[in-house]
């Protein structure tokens, strides 16, 4: 199985880069894992709704260019389904067995995801009502993917 995370923007914080690298190393015996970074659109801090739409559209084009046609896409979105770690484990197991062996999780930039990316997604996932920095969300997501793999294999880690 190939699991990818596509995220907008380059991670600069060393602790986040190191954390993701650690979980990627832990995932290596179980599946192929990649993080793909697409450039964020440079924009001033205050934007009109129309300008936000333009920014999301440009970032969305970059995201969609990285997604293969056969990939199952899960978009992280505030209006997505709330899954437990066990739900994520079941879904990855189901996809690997009966669906697609290529799963892409998409994390938007500071303004979210474009409508085009959301339409491409087969599923939308929400990690809760709290706002988290999109850079930190990458680390949280990769940890949850690792936890799901361990749950599915019945191996210690999940508590």
């Amino acid at each position: 199985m190939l699991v990818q995370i596509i995220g907008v923007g380059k991670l600069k914080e060393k602790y986040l880069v190191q954390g993701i690298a650690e979980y990627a190393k832990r995932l290596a015996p179980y599946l192929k894992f990649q993080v793909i970074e697409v450039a964020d659109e440079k924009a001033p801090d205050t934007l009109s709704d129309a300008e936000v739409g333009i920014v999301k559209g440009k970032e969305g084009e970059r995201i969609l260019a990285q997604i293969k046609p056969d990939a199952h896409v899960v978009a992280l979105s505030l209006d997505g389904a709330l899954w437990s770690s066990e739900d994520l484990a079941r879904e990855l197991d189901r996809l690997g067995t009966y669906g697609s062996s290529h799963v892409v999780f998409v994390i938007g930039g500071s303004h979210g995801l474009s409508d085009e990316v959301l339409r491409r997604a087969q599923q939308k996932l929400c990690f809760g009502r709290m706002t988290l920095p999109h850079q930190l969300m990458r680390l949280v997501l990769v940890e949850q993917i690792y936890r799901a793999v361990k749950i599915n294999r019945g191996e210690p880690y999940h508590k």
Side-chain angles (χ1 to χ4, degrees), residues 13-70:
E13 294 84 358
K14 187 177 179 180
Y15 71 96
L16 293 174
V17 173
Q18 289 172 332
I20 291 170
E22 175 62 27
Y23 283 109
K25 182 176 79 174
R26 292 182 188 188
L27 281 167
Y30 306 109
L31 50 80
K32 292 180 184 175
F33 175 76
Q34 294 177 316
V35 175
I36 299 169
E37 296 177 332
V38 299
D40 56 344
E41 190 64 21
K42 304 300 178 213
D45 288 338
T46 56
L47 299 172
S48 69
D49 289 345
E51 290 168 324
V52 168
I54 291 168
V55 167
K56 289 187 340 184
K58 289 179 180 179
E59 291 173 349
E61 288 172 7
R62 294 179 191 129
I63 291 167
L64 292 170
Q66 297 297 320
I67 299 173
K68 302 274 190 270
D70 66 334

Side-chain angles (χ1 to χ4, degrees), residues 14-159:
K14 187 177 179 180
Y15 71 96
L16 293 174
V17 173
Q18 289 172 332
I20 291 170
E22 175 62 27
Y23 283 109
K25 182 176 79 174
R26 292 182 188 188
L27 281 167
Y30 306 109
L31 50 80
K32 292 180 184 175
F33 175 76
Q34 294 177 316
V35 175
I36 299 169
E37 296 177 332
V38 299
D40 56 344
E41 190 64 21
K42 304 300 178 213
D45 288 338
T46 56
L47 299 172
S48 69
D49 289 345
E51 290 168 324
V52 168
I54 291 168
V55 167
K56 289 187 340 184
K58 289 179 180 179
E59 291 173 349
E61 288 172 7
R62 294 179 191 129
I63 291 167
L64 292 170
Q66 297 297 320
I67 299 173
K68 302 274 190 270
D70 66 334
H72 182 90
V73 178
V74 180
L76 274 65
S77 176
L78 291 174
D79 65 342
L82 292 168
W83 291 350
S84 66
S85 297
E86 293 82 5
D87 292 336
L88 177 60
R90 279 190 291 276
E91 189 58 19
L92 287 177
D93 186 54
R94 183 189 73 77
L95 287 168
T97 305
Y98 304 108
S100 173
S101 60
H102 182 187
V103 179
V104 177
F105 292 90
V106 181
I107 302 171
S110 58
H111 298 288
L113 292 167
S114 70
D115 291 340
E116 293 78 15
V117 172
L118 292 171
R119 279 194 295 274
R120 172 61 179 88
Q122 284 86 359
Q123 294 175 294
K124 292 191 284 185
L125 172 62
C126 179
F127 271 71
R129 293 176 49 192
M130 286 191 226
T131 302
L132 295 173
H134 56 277
Q135 298 93 343
L136 178 59
M137 196 62 239
R138 290 185 208 176
L139 177 59
V140 173
L141 177 57
V142 71
E143 187 279 334
Q144 285 296 301
I145 293 168
Y146 177 69
R147 184 178 296 272
V149 168
K150 298 297 268 187
I151 290 169
N152 285 339
R153 295 182 60 87
E155 296 178 1
Y157 175 76
H158 170 65
K159 302 213 186 261

